[in-house]
């Protein structure tokens, strides 16, 4: 979705699907304006349906407001119940509408939209990188833990905010800096102002941004994603060496770690899996059946590279495990004599409550299985995970505090018992 501010009038267009499926020239030409916000992410709280698509736009007594949010609030059920008990009515089942509602409610007594946002930040717990469009201002905020990335760019006389620096590069904008955890940035009449929310929390940049989510050409909080992934592969080679003929990566997020593994081990790096560029990420497809069916369409083995060889296959993570098993089968059918899997992250043991689409432990293969059991289930000759200690060392080296909760169960923010994806739908259905 995209919301555009044209001299105080905010218009919104959004739908389900990829950007090029939702926005054509006709729609974009009908949306002139001086400021805009957009959102391209799937829903992690609330179902994947049109009503939950973002940005969210609200008309209220003080004017109009549009909001786009990346992350998850862990206290969303409590906030929603409080609002509903006071007469509030919700149109969506996501936590982003709760944020918008709180801002609007605070705006009734606050002297400015900035004060309303700062007051709202004191009520929120969890992960939120947010951009807000008001009739006169563009606002960006990042939660005090800094779970999700958010950066500032400059394009001519305009300011740009983005989750990743690669988006700045694609439009020719210059990177200025990252939005600091707990900071609110306000752009008005071409000028940028910064406010400290005063809210403090344990820092915890989501390590899965480096493992999987972010593009390799992005830089997050001063750390190049490509460098971090190759470093993960290097640590993986040191902790889990094996004799083999070739190192291959699972496209796309496993490629950089595979290169790091190859350089550290001295085993040649090669291309063993070819990706169909017309298939999106299978991890974020809504059902397990769809994810499994997409794997063979998405990936094909290069027989000339793997036939008759002992193969080290490097992937970024094993979440549910089924797709890994299918990739291993593809390699064996292509003639690989051995397949040794190396994973550039630790075992995924615990649910994530801060924006990764894994809200319950029962879907995680590592939660109920030993490494040896997982090895047998996915059909590899050996299996090795990146030690947690390697990520902790990288965190120290990069002077960046990672959230490792999905691997350790230790979260920067306390997680209430009543949380999880689709929790509002479950309540409504009871």
């Amino acid at each position: 979705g995209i919301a555009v501010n044209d001299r105080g009038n905010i218009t919104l267009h959004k739908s389900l699907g990829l950007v090029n499926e939702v926005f054509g020239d006709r729609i974009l030409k009908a949306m002139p304006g001086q400021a805009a916000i957009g959102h391209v992410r799937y829903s992690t709280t609330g179902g994947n349906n049109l009503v939950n698509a973002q940005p969210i736009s609200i008309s209220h007594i003080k004017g109009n407001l549009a909001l786009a949010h990346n992350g998850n609030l862990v206290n969303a059920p409590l906030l929603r119940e409080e609002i509903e008990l006071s007469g509030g009515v919700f149109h969506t089942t996501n936590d982003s509408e709760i944020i918008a509602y709180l801002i609007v409610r605070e705006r009734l007594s606050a002297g400015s939209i900035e004060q309303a946002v700062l007051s709202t930040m004191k009520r929120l717990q969890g992960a939120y990188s947010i951009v807000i469009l008001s009739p006169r201002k563009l606002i960006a905020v990042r939660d005090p833990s800094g779970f999700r990335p958010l950066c500032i760019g400059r394009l001519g006389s305009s300011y740009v905010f983005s989750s990743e620096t690669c988006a700045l590069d694609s439009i020719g904008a210059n990177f200025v800096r990252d939005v600091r955890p707990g900071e609110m940035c306000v752009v008005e009449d071409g000028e940028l102002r910064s406010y400290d929310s005063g809210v403090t929390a344990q820092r915890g940049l989501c390590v899965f941004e480096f493992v999987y989510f972010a593009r390799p050409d992005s830089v997050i909080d001063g750390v190049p994603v490509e460098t971090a992934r190759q470093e993960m592969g290097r640590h993986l080679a040191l902790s889990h060496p094996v004799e083999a003929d070739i190192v291959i990566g699972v496209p796309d997020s496993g490629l950089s770690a595979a290169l790091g593994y190859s350089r550290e081990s001295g085993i040649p790096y090669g291309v063993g899996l070819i990706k169909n560029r017309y298939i999106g990420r299978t991890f974020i497809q809504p059902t397990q059946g769809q994810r499994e069916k997409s794997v063979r369409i998405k990936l094909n083995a290069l027989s000339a590279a793997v036939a008759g060889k002992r193969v080290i296959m490097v992937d970024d993570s094993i979440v549910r495990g089924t797709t890994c098993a299918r990739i291993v089968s593809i390699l064996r059918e292509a003639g690989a004599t051995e397949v040794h899997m190396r994973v550039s992250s630790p075992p995924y043991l615990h649910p994530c409550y801060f924006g990764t689409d894994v809200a319950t432990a029962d879907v995680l293969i590592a939660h109920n299985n030993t490494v040896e059991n997982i090895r047998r289930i996915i059909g590899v000759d050996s299996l090795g995970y990146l030690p947690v200690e390697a990520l902790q060392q990288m965190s120290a080296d990069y002077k960046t505090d990672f959230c490792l909760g999905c691997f350790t169960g230790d979260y920067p923010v306390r997680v209430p018992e009543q949380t999880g994806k689709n929790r509002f739908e479950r309540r409504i259905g009871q």
Side-chain angles (χ1 to χ4, degrees):
I2 295 175
V4 177
N5 178 6
D6 187 16
R7 296 177 177 83
N9 296 315
I10 296 177
T11 59
L12 171 67
H13 179 81
K14 61 183 179 179
S15 187
L16 301 179
L18 301 177
V19 173
N20 63 335
E21 297 169 339
V22 175
F23 290 97
D25 288 341
R26 180 181 61 82
I27 291 173
L28 291 174
K29 287 178 180 178
M31 299 179 71
Q34 297 75 50
I37 61 173
H39 192 275
V40 294
R41 193 170 185 270
Y42 64 98
S43 174
T44 53
T45 300
N48 291 306
N49 50 56
L50 180 57
V51 72
N52 284 329
Q54 297 190 46
I56 291 172
S57 181
I58 294 178
S59 296
H60 58 98
I61 195 168
K62 296 277 188 174
N64 300 324
L65 177 145
L67 176 149
H69 164 221
N70 180 22
N72 271 10
L73 302 181
V74 296
N75 65 334
L78 297 175
L79 292 172
R80 181 173 177 129
E81 183 177 24
E82 172 193 313
I83 294 169
E84 288 176 331
L85 289 174
S86 66
V89 177
F90 288 92
H91 301 283
T92 76
T93 54
N94 63 33
D95 53 356
S96 305
E97 189 181 11
I98 295 173
I99 301 173
Y101 195 103
L102 289 174
I103 293 172
V104 169
R105 192 168 69 174
E106 292 290 340
R107 182 68 182 90
L108 295 176
S109 57
S112 65
I113 184 68
E114 296 99 307
Q115 293 175 359
V117 173
L118 289 172
S119 296
T120 298
M121 291 176 71
K122 294 177 171 62
R123 302 290 312 280
L124 306 179
Q125 297 174 18
Y128 56 91
S129 287
I130 308 171
V131 285
I132 303 164
L133 202 59
S134 78
R136 294 178 50 231
K137 298 162 188 173
L138 174 64
I139 301 172
V141 298
R142 191 177 181 192
D143 69 76
S145 292
F147 281 106
R148 297 293 158 197
L150 190 61
C151 65
I152 308 170
R154 187 83 163 160
L155 181 62
S157 60
S158 300
Y159 284 98
V160 185
F161 298 95
S162 174
S163 289
E164 293 190 37
T165 59
C166 64
L168 303 180
D169 299 335
S170 68
I171 62 171
N174 295 316
F175 171 77
V176 176
R177 64 175 177 86
D178 293 286
V179 177
R180 293 182 290 270
E183 181 183 17
M184 176 181 72
C185 297
V186 180
V187 178
E188 182 178 15
D189 297 327
E191 299 295 326
L192 176 66
R193 303 192 303 271
S194 173
Y195 301 82
D196 185 347
S197 67
V199 183
T200 59
Q202 181 181 334
R203 296 294 175 85
L205 173 62
C206 175
V207 74
F208 232 66
E209 294 286 349
F210 295 99
V211 171
Y212 176 78
F213 281 128
R215 259 180 35 177
D217 51 337
S218 285
V219 179
I220 301 174
D221 286 352
V223 181
V225 174
E226 172 70 12
T227 300
R229 288 181 181 165
Q230 288 195 31
E231 186 71 2
M232 291 172 184
R234 188 183 72 82
H235 281 287
L236 193 55
L238 292 172
S239 58
H240 294 286
V242 64
E243 292 186 4
D245 303 306
I246 188 174
V247 179
I248 67 170
V250 177
D252 285 314
S253 47
L255 299 178
S256 303
L259 183 58
Y261 191 105
S262 170
R263 287 174 173 171
E264 180 62 36
S265 66
I267 300 171
Y269 173 84
V271 177
L273 292 166
I274 303 299
K275 179 182 177 182
N276 181 342
R277 299 293 174 180
Y278 297 98
I279 301 295
R281 286 182 161 181
T282 55
F283 169 81
I284 61 176
Q285 290 184 333
T287 68
Q288 182 64 23
Q290 287 175 282
R291 285 188 289 267
E292 293 173 14
K293 290 179 181 178
S294 294
V295 172
R296 187 168 290 276
I297 300 173
K298 180 179 179 178
L299 294 173
N300 193 26
L302 195 61
S303 298
V306 302
K309 293 182 180 179
R310 300 167 297 175
V311 177
I312 298 173
M313 181 184 80
V314 180
D315 203 357
D316 59 88
S317 59
I318 303 178
V319 180
R320 301 169 181 90
T322 308
T323 54
C324 292
R326 288 184 174 268
I327 296 172
V328 172
S329 296
I330 291 171
L331 289 173
R332 293 199 186 280
E333 291 169 8
T337 58
E338 297 177 11
V339 179
H340 302 273
M341 185 167 186
R342 295 296 180 265
V343 185
S344 59
S345 62
Y348 203 135
L349 297 169
H350 306 279
C352 173
Y353 303 100
F354 307 104
T356 303
D357 193 11
V358 180
T360 58
D362 57 358
V363 302
L364 301 172
I365 190 172
H367 185 76
N368 296 311
N369 291 280
T370 64
V371 173
E372 174 58 21
N373 284 344
I374 298 171
R375 183 197 68 78
R376 289 198 297 265
I377 291 170
I378 64 178
V380 291
D381 294 279
S382 71
L383 173 63
Y385 285 90
L386 183 71
V388 172
E389 293 76 16
L391 292 178
Q392 292 169 334
Q393 181 60 53
M394 291 174 61
S395 179
D397 292 343
Y398 296 145
K399 297 180 174 59
T400 299
D401 295 314
F402 290 144
C403 173
L404 304 175
C406 53
F407 307 132
T408 66
D410 182 16
Y411 305 102
V413 175
R414 186 182 68 84
V415 179
E417 292 182 5
Q418 186 187 2
T419 191
K421 180 177 171 64
N422 296 334
R423 53 191 178 268
F424 302 136
E425 281 89 343
R426 287 200 300 270
R427 188 189 63 181
I428 291 169
Q430 290 174 349

